[in-house]
């Protein structure tokens, strides 16, 4: 008797959480069908940009990214390129040093993108004045007119932050194709769909443009162990800064080719989302009181079940419940159909090719595999915190010993 009550309770609790997440995704995937085009006027002002490219062990792709950033039709006197080369080969650094860029070579014990960006800001020449900062990832490729388009968009938007459209450079393996599909689904739901309904876009990690003074102040507040894009998003929302999205300005991104890399990447993103949700939940009451709809939406968004876990839960419940109690599974099949509808609506036509059906059917299997790695990032974070605390106590003991020896 108690078994069935516990089963009903778990089933309905999971279902309510999953159904809310599916409803959220479906609403914005439908909204994304109503394409919203920003009116971009030719800017009379040429802003001065600094292009930051953090690169951690990306020797194979960094030179392509730097060359594409340097080959802009935008006046070269109006932008500088800074590469933060972290743990890269000496030959790569020698080749980079021959290019007209600023090369920084930090040697972090524990590397992160946030640390690299902070290092770049701290090491910029004081006499250099910039209007905006553009962040690219190693592996990104941009067209020659990219910075011109960014400048026109930045001037037209009238906001301190904008996100450009990141597209896949490669779809040569099943993992890369699946990564490309998920990337475009995110673009549709969390950027175009939000923009259509008047809400802020989410940041994507690269192809991001910020007001330089705002970025310089706030990047130093980002902890090195969390996703810098989510942390910056939260700060933008608290400052009531709208994040605009420009779908027709493209950044081409190198996608992961191996299933293991794909799963590891999703595990890190899941941990980052959970950290963002926990860190920002305390701001929800004030956001509700002040009617900060963008901020409310972002917190709700981070509280949703991550899509990798969502697919895994729906797959497990849809396959297991028929063997336990058939009537319980019907609602899960409906939710499964709705999430497939949401993802289908959010997937652009150009990705629906001869591989699409096979790759998309692999998504639940890949998601279940990704669930096994979900706590890896969390365990790593806990270990790093314990190590840092141990080091802090060690420094305190050394200081006390020095004071005693002086006495």
């Amino acid at each position: 008797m108690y078994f069935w009550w516990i089963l009903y309770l778990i089933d309905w609790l999971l279902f309510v959480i999953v159904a809310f997440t599916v409803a959220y995704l479906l609403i914005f995937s439908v909204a994304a069908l109503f394409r919203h085009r920003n009116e971009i006027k030719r800017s009379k002002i040429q802003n001065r940009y600094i292009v930051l490219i953090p690169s951690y062990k990306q020797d194979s792709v960094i030179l392509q990214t730097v060359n594409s950033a340097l080959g802009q039709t935008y006046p070269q006197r109006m932008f500088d390129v800074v590469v933060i080369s972290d743990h890269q080969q000496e030959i790569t650094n020698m080749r980079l040093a021959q290019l007209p860029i600023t090369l920084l070579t930090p040697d972090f014990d524990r590397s992160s993108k946030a640390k690299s960006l902070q290092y770049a800001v701290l090491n910029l020449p004081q006499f250099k004045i910039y209007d905006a900062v553009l962040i690219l990832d190693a592996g990104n490729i941009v067209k020659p007119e990219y910075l011109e388009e960014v400048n026109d968009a930045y001037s037209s938007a009238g906001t301190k932050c904008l996100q450009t459209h990141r597209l896949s450079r490669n779809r040569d393996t099943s993992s890369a194709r699946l990564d490309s599909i998920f990337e475009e689904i995110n673009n549709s739901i969390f950027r175009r769909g939000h923009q259509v309904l008047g809400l802020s876009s989410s940041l994507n990690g690269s192809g991001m443009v910020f007001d330089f003074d705002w970025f310089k102040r706030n990047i130093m507040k980002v902890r090195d162990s969390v996703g810098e894009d989510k942390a910056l998003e939260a700060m933008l929302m608290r400052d009531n800064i709208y994040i605009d999205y420009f779908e027709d300005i493209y950044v081409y991104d190198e996608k992961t080719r191996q299933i293991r890399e794909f799963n590891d990447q999703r595990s890190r993103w899941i941990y980052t989302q959970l950290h963002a949700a926990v860190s920002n939940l305390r701001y929800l009451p004030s956001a509700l009181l002040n009617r900060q709809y963008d901020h409310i939406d972002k917190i709700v968004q981070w509280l949703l079940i991550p899509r990798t876990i969502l697919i895994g839960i729906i797959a497990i419940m849809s396959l297991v419940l028929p063997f336990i109690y058939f009537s319980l599974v019907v609602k899960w099949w409906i939710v499964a159909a709705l999430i497939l509808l949401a993802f289908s609506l959010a997937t652009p036509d150009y990705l629906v090719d001869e591989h699409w059906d096979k790759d998309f059917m692999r998504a639940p299997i890949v998601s279940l595999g990704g669930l096994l790695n979900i706590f890896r990032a969390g365990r790593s974070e806990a270990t790093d915190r314990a190590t840092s605390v141990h080091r802090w106590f060690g420094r305190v003991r050394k200081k006390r010993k020095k004071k005693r020896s002086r006495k």
Side-chain angles (χ1 to χ4, degrees):
M1 186 69 179
Y2 289 110
F3 169 78
W4 294 111
W5 280 111
I6 293 170
L7 178 64
Y8 287 142
L9 181 63
I10 293 173
D11 173 61
W12 277 102
L13 183 62
L14 270 178
F15 178 76
V16 169
I17 298 171
V18 168
F20 180 79
T21 302
V22 171
Y24 182 95
L25 298 176
L26 184 60
I27 288 169
F28 286 102
S29 64
V30 171
L33 297 175
F34 302 91
R35 185 178 172 85
H36 177 85
R37 286 186 178 275
N38 277 329
E39 184 180 353
I40 304 177
K41 298 179 180 178
R42 188 72 177 174
S43 177
K44 297 179 181 178
I45 301 171
Q46 289 183 329
N47 293 296
R48 184 165 178 78
Y49 293 87
I50 180 167
V51 183
L52 299 181
I53 310 176
S55 181
Y56 173 71
K57 294 184 179 180
Q58 295 291 322
D59 302 84
S60 60
V61 294
I62 184 60
L63 287 168
Q64 296 177 6
T65 301
V66 174
N67 285 325
S68 75
L70 290 172
Q72 296 295 301
T73 56
Y74 199 69
Q76 290 194 353
R77 70 182 186 280
M78 299 304 294
F79 72 95
D80 294 325
V81 176
V82 177
V83 176
I84 308 97
S85 178
D86 183 14
H87 289 84
Q88 296 196 134
Q89 297 174 11
E90 198 63 37
I91 186 66
T92 303
N93 289 335
M94 288 175 61
R95 289 171 179 168
L96 288 170
Q98 295 173 3
L99 299 173
I101 64 171
T102 298
L103 178 63
L104 302 175
T105 54
D107 187 21
F108 301 123
D109 292 333
R110 182 176 180 274
S111 300
S112 72
K113 188 174 176 181
K115 273 188 177 180
S116 293
L117 294 173
Q118 290 165 353
Y119 187 88
V121 167
L122 290 173
N123 286 275
L124 289 177
Q126 295 297 318
F127 62 88
K128 293 274 186 157
I129 299 174
Y130 299 102
D131 299 301
V133 54
L134 165 66
I135 298 175
L136 297 176
D137 281 343
N140 289 168
I141 298 293
V142 292
K143 296 183 293 184
E145 61 273 16
Y146 176 76
L147 206 47
E148 277 191 39
E149 294 174 349
V150 164
N151 185 63
D152 293 339
Y154 187 68
S155 300
S156 300
T159 185
K160 293 186 177 182
C161 180
L162 62 88
Q163 172 70 56
T164 56
H165 187 172
R166 197 165 72 177
L167 284 174
S168 172
R169 282 177 58 191
N170 59 299
R171 288 188 287 136
D172 49 352
T173 67
S174 180
S175 296
R177 288 191 294 270
L178 200 57
D179 199 359
S180 303
I181 292 170
F182 283 2
E183 177 92 76
E184 283 290 43
I185 287 173
N186 287 341
N187 283 333
S188 295
I189 294 174
F190 298 107
R191 294 174 189 95
R192 187 168 71 242
H194 275 66
Q195 190 183 48
V196 167
L197 295 181
L199 295 168
S200 274
S201 160
S202 64
L203 295 177
N204 214 5
S206 66
M208 307 179 294
V209 182
F210 300 92
D211 174 81
F212 179 75
D213 291 332
W214 185 92
F215 179 81
K216 188 176 179 180
R217 284 195 312 272
N218 288 279
I219 190 60
M220 305 309 297
K221 302 174 187 176
V222 177
R223 286 178 51 199
D224 64 295
S225 58
V226 299
E228 80 296 331
D229 53 344
K230 294 288 187 294
L232 290 171
E233 257 186 69
M235 293 176 196
L236 287 164
M237 295 303 99
R238 290 199 290 272
D239 289 347
N240 288 317
I241 296 174
Y242 181 78
I243 304 171
D244 214 339
Y245 175 58
F246 287 84
E247 190 175 20
D248 297 323
I249 305 177
Y250 301 113
V251 176
Y252 299 93
D253 183 49
E254 185 84 10
K255 294 302 175 189
T256 57
R257 289 181 166 85
Q258 303 296 326
I259 286 289
R260 181 167 183 170
E261 293 177 7
F262 181 88
N263 283 334
D264 287 345
Q265 185 185 69
R266 262 60 198 172
S267 298
R268 291 193 302 272
W269 289 355
I270 289 170
Y271 173 73
T272 299
Q273 180 181 331
L274 293 176
H275 186 279
V278 172
S279 301
N280 290 279
L281 189 58
R282 66 182 186 272
Y283 298 109
L284 184 57
S286 63
L288 289 167
L289 289 173
N290 296 316
R291 298 181 182 179
Q292 295 176 309
Y293 299 115
D294 277 336
H295 200 182
I296 295 167
D297 172 69
K298 280 289 177 288
I299 296 172
V300 170
Q301 189 181 117
W302 294 329
L303 288 170
L304 298 176
I305 302 176
R307 283 163 303 289
T308 304
I309 298 178
L310 178 73
I311 295 171
I313 291 174
I314 293 174
I316 290 171
M317 300 301 282
S318 297
L319 294 173
V320 172
L321 280 180
F323 299 99
I324 300 175
Y325 203 101
F326 187 82
S327 64
L328 294 178
V329 80
V330 176
K331 61 183 180 298
W332 287 100
W333 287 347
I334 294 171
V335 164
L338 290 175
I339 195 62
L340 287 175
L341 174 63
F343 288 163
S344 299
L345 293 175
T347 304
D349 292 340
Y350 80 91
L351 288 176
V352 184
D353 54 18
E354 65 274 11
H355 302 289
W356 188 85
D357 292 339
K358 183 173 68 176
D359 292 332
F360 205 81
M361 290 304 293
R362 291 188 67 185
I365 300 172
V366 173
S367 298
L368 290 173
L371 289 176
L372 300 176
N373 299 326
I374 186 172
F375 297 112
R376 182 177 299 174
R379 288 198 302 269
S380 175
E381 167 71 3
T383 302
D384 291 333
R385 284 187 181 181
T387 303
S388 63
V389 170
H390 179 74
R391 288 175 179 170
W392 182 80
F393 277 114
R395 288 195 297 268
V396 170
R397 284 195 295 268
K398 285 181 181 179
K399 288 179 181 179
R400 287 178 178 175
K401 285 181 181 178
K402 286 182 181 179
K403 287 182 179 179
R404 289 172 184 172
S405 63
R406 288 173 185 172
K407 291 179 180 178

